[in-house]
mmCIF file of all heavy atoms in Angstrom:
data_model
loop_
_atom_site.group_PDB
_atom_site.id
_atom_site.type_symbol
_atom_site.label_atom_id
_atom_site.label_comp_id
_atom_site.label_asym_id
_atom_site.label_seq_id
_atom_site.Cartn_x
_atom_site.Cartn_y
_atom_site.Cartn_z
ATOM 1 N N GLN A 208 -33.141 22.390 -22.903
ATOM 2 C CA GLN A 208 -33.471 20.966 -23.293
ATOM 3 C C GLN A 208 -32.142 20.333 -23.830
ATOM 4 O O GLN A 208 -31.889 20.273 -25.022
ATOM 5 C CB GLN A 208 -34.473 21.059 -24.479
ATOM 6 C CG GLN A 208 -35.836 21.520 -23.935
ATOM 7 C CD GLN A 208 -36.995 20.878 -24.724
ATOM 8 O OE1 GLN A 208 -36.854 20.547 -25.872
ATOM 9 N NE2 GLN A 208 -38.079 20.798 -24.058
ATOM 10 N N PRO A 209 -31.322 19.848 -22.872
ATOM 11 C CA PRO A 209 -30.074 19.273 -23.244
ATOM 12 C C PRO A 209 -30.285 17.859 -23.806
ATOM 13 O O PRO A 209 -31.312 17.213 -23.551
ATOM 14 C CB PRO A 209 -29.330 19.186 -21.921
ATOM 15 C CG PRO A 209 -30.474 19.133 -20.873
ATOM 16 C CD PRO A 209 -31.575 20.005 -21.408
ATOM 17 N N GLU A 210 -29.395 17.373 -24.588
ATOM 18 C CA GLU A 210 -29.406 16.142 -25.145
ATOM 19 C C GLU A 210 -28.882 15.049 -24.065
ATOM 20 O O GLU A 210 -27.718 15.306 -23.636
ATOM 21 C CB GLU A 210 -28.504 15.985 -26.404
ATOM 22 C CG GLU A 210 -29.101 16.727 -27.612
ATOM 23 C CD GLU A 210 -28.228 16.445 -28.829
ATOM 24 O OE1 GLU A 210 -26.984 16.715 -28.737
ATOM 25 O OE2 GLU A 210 -28.758 16.077 -29.906
ATOM 26 N N VAL A 211 -29.699 14.117 -23.759
ATOM 27 C CA VAL A 211 -29.315 13.178 -22.759
ATOM 28 C C VAL A 211 -29.404 11.692 -23.259
ATOM 29 O O VAL A 211 -28.929 10.737 -22.603
ATOM 30 C CB VAL A 211 -30.131 13.226 -21.458
ATOM 31 C CG1 VAL A 211 -29.822 14.572 -20.768
ATOM 32 C CG2 VAL A 211 -31.585 13.091 -21.736
ATOM 33 N N GLY A 212 -30.010 11.497 -24.464
ATOM 34 C CA GLY A 212 -30.141 10.157 -24.985
ATOM 35 C C GLY A 212 -31.562 9.636 -24.684
ATOM 36 O O GLY A 212 -32.140 9.854 -23.672
ATOM 37 N N ARG A 213 -32.080 8.910 -25.629
ATOM 38 C CA ARG A 213 -33.464 8.336 -25.471
ATOM 39 C C ARG A 213 -33.610 7.418 -24.254
ATOM 40 O O ARG A 213 -34.656 7.325 -23.635
ATOM 41 C CB ARG A 213 -33.891 7.530 -26.732
ATOM 42 C CG ARG A 213 -34.165 8.418 -27.905
ATOM 43 C CD ARG A 213 -34.636 7.667 -29.087
ATOM 44 N NE ARG A 213 -35.059 8.470 -30.238
ATOM 45 C CZ ARG A 213 -34.179 8.918 -31.156
ATOM 46 N NH1 ARG A 213 -32.885 8.515 -31.106
ATOM 47 N NH2 ARG A 213 -34.661 9.739 -32.181
ATOM 48 N N GLN A 214 -32.536 6.693 -23.915
ATOM 49 C CA GLN A 214 -32.610 5.706 -22.860
ATOM 50 C C GLN A 214 -32.685 6.395 -21.448
ATOM 51 O O GLN A 214 -32.936 5.802 -20.465
ATOM 52 C CB GLN A 214 -31.417 4.810 -22.890
ATOM 53 C CG GLN A 214 -30.010 5.414 -22.584
ATOM 54 C CD GLN A 214 -29.325 6.038 -23.744
ATOM 55 O OE1 GLN A 214 -30.035 6.459 -24.698
ATOM 56 N NE2 GLN A 214 -28.027 6.090 -23.750
ATOM 57 N N TRP A 215 -32.435 7.728 -21.484
ATOM 58 C CA TRP A 215 -32.458 8.426 -20.128
ATOM 59 C C TRP A 215 -33.674 9.317 -19.991
ATOM 60 O O TRP A 215 -33.715 9.971 -18.995
ATOM 61 C CB TRP A 215 -31.176 9.351 -20.115
ATOM 62 C CG TRP A 215 -29.939 8.563 -20.204
ATOM 63 C CD1 TRP A 215 -29.047 8.577 -21.235
ATOM 64 C CD2 TRP A 215 -29.360 7.586 -19.249
ATOM 65 N NE1 TRP A 215 -27.992 7.716 -21.046
ATOM 66 C CE2 TRP A 215 -28.206 7.125 -19.782
ATOM 67 C CE3 TRP A 215 -29.843 7.115 -18.038
ATOM 68 C CZ2 TRP A 215 -27.384 6.209 -19.147
ATOM 69 C CZ3 TRP A 215 -29.043 6.258 -17.397
ATOM 70 C CH2 TRP A 215 -27.816 5.738 -17.863
ATOM 71 N N THR A 216 -34.539 9.298 -20.880
ATOM 72 C CA THR A 216 -35.797 10.111 -20.789
ATOM 73 C C THR A 216 -37.071 9.218 -20.702
ATOM 74 O O THR A 216 -37.074 8.158 -21.163
ATOM 75 C CB THR A 216 -35.953 11.095 -22.009
ATOM 76 O OG1 THR A 216 -36.142 10.310 -23.162
ATOM 77 C CG2 THR A 216 -34.740 11.971 -22.185
ATOM 78 N N GLU A 220 -37.571 10.619 -25.956
ATOM 79 C CA GLU A 220 -37.005 11.753 -26.831
ATOM 80 C C GLU A 220 -35.450 11.929 -26.393
ATOM 81 O O GLU A 220 -35.056 11.505 -25.331
ATOM 82 C CB GLU A 220 -37.711 13.106 -26.529
ATOM 83 C CG GLU A 220 -39.190 13.079 -26.847
ATOM 84 C CD GLU A 220 -39.423 12.945 -28.368
ATOM 85 O OE1 GLU A 220 -38.493 13.356 -29.166
ATOM 86 O OE2 GLU A 220 -40.446 12.349 -28.794
ATOM 87 N N VAL A 221 -34.688 12.375 -27.410
ATOM 88 C CA VAL A 221 -33.307 12.619 -27.128
ATOM 89 C C VAL A 221 -33.030 13.775 -26.162
ATOM 90 O O VAL A 221 -32.111 13.666 -25.379
ATOM 91 C CB VAL A 221 -32.520 12.927 -28.502
ATOM 92 C CG1 VAL A 221 -31.106 13.298 -28.255
ATOM 93 C CG2 VAL A 221 -32.656 11.711 -29.494
ATOM 94 N N ARG A 222 -33.846 14.782 -26.207
ATOM 95 C CA ARG A 222 -33.700 15.929 -25.294
ATOM 96 C C ARG A 222 -34.707 15.812 -24.159
ATOM 97 O O ARG A 222 -35.731 15.259 -24.257
ATOM 98 C CB ARG A 222 -33.909 17.278 -26.055
ATOM 99 C CG ARG A 222 -32.870 17.535 -27.135
ATOM 100 C CD ARG A 222 -33.006 18.965 -27.693
ATOM 101 N NE ARG A 222 -32.051 19.262 -28.727
ATOM 102 C CZ ARG A 222 -30.944 19.719 -28.548
ATOM 103 N NH1 ARG A 222 -30.469 19.942 -27.256
ATOM 104 N NH2 ARG A 222 -30.077 20.000 -29.506
ATOM 105 N N GLU A 223 -34.220 16.454 -22.991
ATOM 106 C CA GLU A 223 -35.073 16.369 -21.784
ATOM 107 C C GLU A 223 -35.312 17.809 -21.328
ATOM 108 O O GLU A 223 -34.341 18.658 -21.275
ATOM 109 C CB GLU A 223 -34.312 15.636 -20.668
ATOM 110 C CG GLU A 223 -35.188 15.544 -19.383
ATOM 111 C CD GLU A 223 -34.412 14.763 -18.315
ATOM 112 O OE1 GLU A 223 -33.227 15.204 -17.954
ATOM 113 O OE2 GLU A 223 -34.922 13.704 -17.786
ATOM 114 N N LEU A 224 -36.558 18.151 -21.044
ATOM 115 C CA LEU A 224 -36.909 19.493 -20.601
ATOM 116 C C LEU A 224 -36.425 19.622 -19.144
ATOM 117 O O LEU A 224 -36.770 18.910 -18.219
ATOM 118 C CB LEU A 224 -38.394 19.660 -20.729
ATOM 119 C CG LEU A 224 -38.904 21.053 -20.399
ATOM 120 C CD1 LEU A 224 -38.466 22.089 -21.380
ATOM 121 C CD2 LEU A 224 -40.496 21.073 -20.380
ATOM 122 N N ARG A 225 -35.648 20.745 -18.927
ATOM 123 C CA ARG A 225 -35.137 20.978 -17.589
ATOM 124 C C ARG A 225 -35.161 22.512 -17.298
ATOM 125 O O ARG A 225 -35.370 23.358 -18.215
ATOM 126 C CB ARG A 225 -33.627 20.585 -17.420
ATOM 127 C CG ARG A 225 -33.405 19.113 -17.586
ATOM 128 C CD ARG A 225 -31.955 18.670 -17.450
ATOM 129 N NE ARG A 225 -31.773 17.267 -17.552
ATOM 130 C CZ ARG A 225 -30.514 16.781 -17.557
ATOM 131 N NH1 ARG A 225 -29.448 17.543 -17.346
ATOM 132 N NH2 ARG A 225 -30.346 15.444 -17.672
#
Side-chain angles (χ1 to χ4, degrees):
Q208 293 210 335
E210 290 184 307
V211 294
R213 289 185 174 88
Q214 69 273 28
W215 302 111
T216 63
E220 299 293 333
V221 174
R222 294 188 182 273
E223 181 179 59
L224 186 65
R225 296 180 180 176

